[in-house]
Amino acid sequence: MIFEKPIILEGEEGNVVLIYGEHIIGNITKENADLSIERIDKNVFNSSEFESIINVNEIFEYEFEVDNDSHIMFEVRNANSVTYKTIDFKDCETTKKAERSISEKFKQLGFKREEKQISAISAAVVPGSVAAFVAVMGGIFTWYAKYLETRVITRARIIKWYVYIFEKVAEVIGFYPFLIITVVLTVCCLLWMFKRMANPPIKISAVK
């Protein structure tokens, strides 16, 4: 048994995260956590009953950004595949507490822990990508809404229901609301990006 004593931490929406035996189980109720502890002790635990569960023996790496992430991402490897799973916690503080709870045991399992501040360029990747996506999609919606103002329908068309709804909304409100929303969201994403670049977060990771 890897974790000989159960560790219960606060998760999302009033649920908890259980770390016990050879498993990390996320998004379960406190009652199910207590029941799982009992079943693990009796060797009648069935991991297939849970949606968010990780076998510690299959973990190759984990990482999270301090004071930014309320989850830890695990790289899980087995004979058939490599997957990435996240275990969500209540908040950033609980995430740090969780990592402190498992770091020593993972060190004993051969993991090398690293704590470093990521570069400004790396810090900008996610918000920059989101800003680009918002700008492109917003531009498409704005252009199409503008096009609808001058479009002349010459024959009947068969369109998807969501396109029909969009066209009706655009005909009523025009293209300006789409333009304004796109600009506001893009600016917010850019501010987020500049904030991360000015003060890049610290990333903690551990690799086997």
Side-chain angles (χ1 to χ4, degrees):
M1 185 175 289
I2 297 175
F3 289 94
E4 298 177 352
K5 295 182 179 180
I7 301 171
I8 298 179
L9 300 153
E10 292 180 285
E12 288 187 316
E13 300 177 353
N15 288 330
V16 301
V17 174
L18 171 65
I19 304 172
Y20 187 42
E22 298 180 354
H23 297 92
I24 300 175
I25 311 171
N27 196 32
I28 59 173
T29 63
K30 179 61 167 60
E31 292 74 16
N32 280 340
D34 292 336
L35 182 59
S36 297
I37 293 171
E38 182 180 337
R39 288 179 174 177
I40 290 172
D41 289 338
K42 295 180 179 179
N43 292 320
V44 293
F45 179 76
N46 184 4
S47 61
S48 63
E49 296 178 357
F50 301 91
E51 293 183 2
S52 179
I53 184 169
I54 299 173
N55 188 320
V56 176
N57 292 307
E58 296 179 348
I59 295 174
F60 178 76
E61 180 181 5
Y62 72 77
E63 66 176 40
F64 76 103
E65 291 182 2
V66 178
D67 295 326
N68 273 341
D69 291 340
S70 59
H71 65 269
I72 297 177
M73 184 178 71
F74 294 88
E75 180 180 333
V76 180
R77 298 186 179 186
N78 54 42
N80 300 317
S81 64
V82 176
T83 58
Y84 295 89
K85 299 182 179 181
T86 58
I87 296 295
D88 298 303
F89 300 93
K90 179 183 178 181
D91 49 36
C92 297
E93 285 301 317
T94 307
T95 304
K96 289 192 290 185
K97 180 180 178 182
E99 199 277 332
R100 288 194 298 267
S101 300
I102 67 174
S103 60
E104 186 59 35
K105 184 63 67 174
F106 273 75
K107 181 179 179 180
Q108 295 174 13
L109 293 173
F111 283 75
K112 182 179 179 181
R113 185 179 184 275
E114 184 178 47
E115 185 173 337
K116 68 176 182 178
Q117 189 172 41
I118 66 176
S119 68
I121 299 300
S122 298
V125 170
V126 172
S129 300
V130 174
F133 176 79
V134 169
V136 171
M137 295 305 299
I140 292 173
F141 288 143
T142 301
W143 168 82
Y144 193 61
K146 176 65 175 176
Y147 161 75
L148 292 175
E149 292 184 355
T150 58
R151 181 188 62 174
V152 177
I153 299 177
T154 58
R155 59 188 178 85
R157 300 177 305 142
I158 299 177
I159 59 176
K160 299 291 186 179
W161 62 269
Y162 48 83
V163 177
Y164 174 80
I165 292 175
F166 176 83
E167 290 186 355
K168 290 301 179 183
V169 171
E171 288 173 0
V172 172
I173 66 175
F175 75 93
Y176 281 109
F178 295 101
L179 177 61
I180 293 171
I181 292 173
T182 299
V183 171
V184 171
L185 291 178
T186 302
V187 169
C188 288
C189 290
L190 290 175
L191 290 174
W192 173 33
M193 181 182 72
F194 292 138
K195 181 180 179 181
R196 281 176 60 89
M197 291 180 69
N199 187 24
I202 294 173
K203 183 175 76 172
I204 293 177
S205 63
V207 182
K208 199 168 189 178

